[in-house]
Amino acid sequence: MSQHETPLFTGLREHANKNPLQFHIPGHKKGQGMDEEFKNFIGTNALSIDLINITPLDDLHHPKGMIKKAQALAAQAFGADHTFFSVQGTSGAIMTMIMSVVSPGDKILVPRNVHKSIMTAIVFSGATPIFIHPEIDAELGISHGITPDSVEKALKQHPDAKAVLVINPTYFGFAADLKGIVDIAHRFNVPVLVDEAHGVLIHFHDHMPLSAMQAGADMAATSVHKLGGSLTGSSILNVKEGLVSPERVQTILSMMTTTSTSYILLASLDAARRRLATEGYTLIEKTIRLANETRAKINEIPNLYCVGEEKLGTSATFDYDPSKLLISVKDLGITGYEAETWLRIRYNIEVELSDLYNILCLITTADHEKDTMILVQALTELAEEKASSKNEEIKSLPVHVPDIPVLALSPRDAFYANTESVLFEESAGRIIAEFVMVYPPGIPIFIPGEIITKENLDYIKENLEAGLPVQGPEDAELKYLKVIKEQVAIR
Ligand SMILES: Cc1ncc(COP(=O)(O)O)c(C=O)c1O
């Protein structure tokens, strides 16, 4: 088969074109049985392929036909031995990846700044996380990846670990020396699992960091939907044979996946793979050029700093994806959230994320110069307005990133323990039983089992006061936190 073909998308359309008389779910039957306004908005084309796993359309749980062919083409395009489609986002692919290699009590090496789906898989599987400290960037107030040295040190201390998990590239686009990490892990016979949520494009251009499959990693959960042109909620899991069993991966994926798999999502993966495989290089080339030009223009604006290749050269910033525009606004004396809100209100611009010090803007294969010119114009006006609204010299915001709390209990034991709610203000010193994170990026400030520190509570307050979306606790207002109930001796 050729990369120009789309067996799943084409097969689905051919089936819909036959206009079968349907006596199966979905009950809207090509949109005829649904809300009229929604139907007209979505359109009959989309509704005609909103189908499920009837015999002619194959089955994601046991692929033998058009899904199998589409997955095989994706594997070829991504340099994998096997590719599995996910209709439950990269979170679903990540949970499958982890639960395919660890059993209760097994150790897994993970950076502490992982996405919540990784910690969720650790809670569900009962694995023991061995945390590796990510490198902290004190200038930007963000975490980068982990280094080969830290992985080697961790593996020497825990040679019985069942897997090493690496985030590559990070949300902000920085890549570790993944090949170095893979070589070390494989010397210990330990598979490397990669959270490649922000790296679908990197495989398709040589001015990008090495992809997980190029670096020889064993599995990678790769968000096609984030940057690769498929629909939201679709993703893939790439697998290299050797240290992991593809049969086990298929079994776990099936256990974690709805039986009502969306064919719209699956077809969008098939079509996105075709575009990346056949036109990806040219499209990414253009995207990188546009991003680099925009970065240079932003760096001419006083008090703004758009991060570039000058950040490379540390062991955790081995390479980067230049299509991401990480813009530090702290020298304007405002938070990233204030900049995000200003851009929304004044220019109808929506950024990817903001934090206390930065905003992140993604340039993708969809963008043109006219779009980036508006961004540059908006940022210029923002910088001028902030400069003129301050009589005295602008005071840059001081950057601080809190320490990683001590893990006192396994995340699973903490999650399932007897708990009680205590006032947020009075929780320091207790063991937390729930996640607390800012989403996006969804990296936990606390995970179940960690000892709450005053410093981290202050950091949460700082994020809340800045208007950032702190999530996770059952009490959405964060007046209370759930902690492990203390056992008092019975008299
Ligand atoms: C680093 C990282 N990993 C995994 C995910 C999960 O991806 P998804 O939203 O497709 O489930 C995200 C989402 O933001 C992420 O940032």
Side-chain angles (χ1 to χ4, degrees), residues 86 88-95 113-118 167-171 195-198 221-226 232-235 352-353 439-443:
S86 164
Q88 281 165 211
T90 308
S91 296
I94 283 177
M95 288 194 248
N113 57 328
V114 286
H115 183 261
K116 66 175 182 169
S117 56
I118 292 167
I167 309 159
N168 206 68
T170 64
Y171 211 140
D195 174 348
E196 206 174 48
H198 298 284
T222 308
S223 268
V224 185
H225 79 85
K226 286 196 199 296
T232 299
S234 62
S235 190
E352 168 65 14
L353 69 76
Y439 187 86
I443 294 164

Side-chain angles (χ1 to χ4, degrees), residues 110-367:
V110 286
R112 173 56 181 74
N113 57 328
V114 286
H115 183 261
K116 66 175 182 169
S117 56
I118 292 167
M119 289 317 304
T120 305
I122 286 172
V123 168
F124 286 167
S125 65
T128 305
I130 306 294
F131 288 123
I132 301 184
H133 219 299
E135 297 289 301
I136 303 294
D137 191 317
E139 185 191 9
L140 297 169
I142 62 169
S143 308
H144 293 307
I146 52 176
T147 66
D149 281 354
S150 59
V151 170
E152 178 146 37
K153 213 157 112 193
L155 280 169
K156 278 186 179 150
Q157 281 178 36
H158 301 277
D160 53 341
K162 287 288 160 41
V164 177
L165 189 134
V166 186
I167 309 159
N168 206 68
T170 64
Y171 211 140
F172 304 109
F174 286 98
D177 176 6
L178 186 58
K179 174 110 185 27
I181 292 174
V182 169
D183 290 346
I184 291 166
H186 284 178
R187 265 201 276 122
F188 286 81
N189 226 14
V190 173
V192 176
L193 322 182
V194 182
D195 174 348
E196 206 174 48
H198 298 284
V200 68
L201 297 184
I202 64 178
H203 189 77
F204 297 95
H205 201 285
D206 48 10
H207 292 163
M208 290 282 202
L210 278 190
S211 74
M213 292 297 110
Q214 285 163 338
D218 302 273
M219 285 199 263
T222 308
S223 268
V224 185
H225 79 85
K226 286 196 199 296
L227 298 165
S230 68
L231 291 178
T232 299
S234 62
S235 190
I236 56 170
L237 177 53
N238 286 321
V239 176
K240 269 226 165 76
E241 281 198 40
L243 296 177
V244 297
S245 150
E247 291 78 21
R248 178 82 175 163
V249 174
Q250 175 70 68
T251 302
I252 304 284
L253 184 82
S254 193
M255 288 168 76
M256 305 284 294
T257 298
T258 170
T259 37
S260 305
T261 46
S262 162
Y263 273 71
I264 300 188
L265 296 191
L266 292 174
S268 80
L269 282 172
D270 198 24
R273 181 272 312 149
R274 170 171 68 183
R275 185 167 181 264
L276 288 172
T278 59
E279 301 170 69
Y281 194 92
T282 318
L283 292 166
I284 297 165
E285 178 93 2
K286 183 183 128 263
T287 306
I288 293 175
R289 197 177 323 118
L290 182 60
N292 281 339
E293 286 163 10
T294 313
R295 173 180 289 103
K297 287 187 188 129
I298 295 170
N299 278 329
E300 285 169 12
I301 305 172
N303 294 318
L304 288 184
Y305 166 44
C306 187
V307 179
E309 62 188 16
E310 69 290 338
K311 270 278 163 202
L312 301 184
T314 76
S315 46
T317 58
F318 188 76
D319 205 348
Y320 89 125
D321 169 353
S323 70
K324 314 220 173 191
L325 301 180
L326 174 61
I327 305 162
S328 166
V329 298
K330 69 183 167 65
D331 289 347
L332 292 178
I334 58 172
T335 63
Y337 183 71
E338 283 174 86
E340 174 184 341
T341 313
W342 190 98
L343 289 169
R344 177 176 298 129
I345 292 169
R346 298 288 286 276
Y347 271 83
N348 195 21
I349 287 176
E350 294 292 343
V351 301
E352 168 65 14
L353 69 76
S354 66
D355 63 20
L356 289 173
Y357 316 108
N358 312 292
I359 56 171
L360 179 66
C361 296
L362 305 179
I363 306 299
T364 75
T365 62
D367 288 306

